Amino acid sequence: MPLPAHARTPVPPWRAAVRDAVRDPQELEALLELPAGSLAASDAGFPLLVPRGFVARMRKRDRRDPLLLQVLPTAAESEAYEGFGADPLAEQDAARHGVLRKYARRALLIASGACPVHCRYCFRRAFPYPRQLAARGDWSAALAALAEHGDVEEAILSGGDPLSLGNARLAELVTKLESTGVRTLRIHTRFPIVVPERIDAGLLALLAGTRLAVVVVLHCNHPNELSNEVGDALRKLRAAVRVVLNQSVLLRGINDDDGTLASLSERLFEHGVLPYYLHLLDRVAGAAHFDVDADRGRELVAALRARLPGYLVPRLVREIPGEASKTPIA
Ligand SMILES: *Cc1c(COP(=O)(O)O)cnc(C)c1O
Ligand code: SF4
């Protein structure tokens, strides 16, 4: 008797890790041995989502753990602040068929609306994904929108997290991109950090096999995120692609001290990853309590410059709608 389809195609471990992620604040409380009721919070319409492997890197019994603070819904998110809105980067009207063309030569594809983790400070928390997905249908509308610009040399896959797409879907997209004028494929992803299982054999073969130059930009904010499993995944990833960089968001109470940022750069370097951007927070509603002002950001980067080699100092930037590139702050 033939096996049912689901038995023949087992769920890949990374998909299982996302499926089985912690979604209940009370369970998170129990796993971290926090007093009952200490995490109870509203989620302002953006629910808790954190994979168990990431929870395992949090310190037990510490309500201020820097990884916990990145994912835990809190009452502060419901407070309204002047200057913090739903679309701080004015992107909602700029995207066409999931393609966002703001800077020379580069076009960003919103490849997926899904993420393996919900980061409380994320500017995309209020993004209307169903209207803006390049991944709908067969990519042709997105590829046509990209071709309209003519001069696109680099396709940037973003989201959401583009690695939320399975390997078959990604392979389809890569094949299509190879037949355009695109030469570089950049992938902005938090997956290798939060669900290192995502760096599986199929993905590695796909990345190593394309004629496009592949750049992976990770998103890691704190050295405690870099577990041994993440280190193993990064080693394999580095062997398959041209370069692996990291971007971080400067977050109050999480990484806004020079010791933490220096150790993040050093730990990344141990894994062969160079820091790229340190972003000042995008002013999305619900994230104001994470904001670190530009002056403090400058001070921190100056402190990093004094203690690290230049290549381990990230570029402090802010994204300002209408500018021709990210805007350097320091
Ligand atoms: C950040 C971003 C890019 C990439 O900018 P780089 O400075 O090259 O990293 C491209 N397109 C959009 C829409 C972006 O937001
Ligand atoms: S887009 Fe990135 S920062 Fe935002 S929730 Fe997803 S993984 Fe986190």
Side-chain angles (χ1 to χ4, degrees), residues 171-236:
E172 232 175 74
L173 175 60
V174 169
T175 304
K176 294 231 156 110
L177 286 170
E178 282 172 337
S179 67
T180 67
V182 166
R183 292 196 293 210
T184 303
L185 172 68
R186 192 194 316 182
I187 302 176
H188 282 183
T189 177
R190 195 147 161 66
F191 250 109
I193 303 296
V194 294
V195 180
E197 298 92 322
R198 182 67 191 87
I199 308 307
D200 60 13
L203 181 65
L204 291 166
L206 167 66
L207 297 176
T210 175
R211 67 160 183 82
L212 302 173
V214 180
V215 178
V216 176
V217 182
L218 306 171
H219 171 179
C220 177
N221 298 317
H222 193 282
N224 292 4
E225 293 173 45
L226 297 165
S227 64
N228 292 337
E229 290 77 11
V230 172
D232 289 343
L234 294 180
R235 190 171 35 72
K236 292 184 218 160

Side-chain angles (χ1 to χ4, degrees), residues 46 114-119 121-124 129 159-161 190 219:
F46 187 55
C115 290
V117 61
H118 284 170
C119 312
Y121 51 84
C122 181
F123 78 98
R124 296 237 151 93
Y129 283 109
D161 196 310
R190 195 147 161 66
H219 171 179

Side-chain angles (χ1 to χ4, degrees), residues 106-120:
R106 291 147 289 174
L108 186 148
L109 262 77
I110 301 168
S112 164
C115 290
V117 61
H118 284 170
C119 312
R120 306 316 301 177

Side-chain angles (χ1 to χ4, degrees), residues 250 256-258 261 278 292-306 316 329-330:
L250 185 56
D256 60 337
D257 67 279
D258 57 314
L261 290 172
L278 177 61
V292 177
D293 66 41
D295 284 340
R296 176 68 183 141
R298 280 190 201 97
E299 239 173 65
L300 287 167
V301 170
L304 291 182
R305 207 168 278 130
L316 183 68
I329 298 295

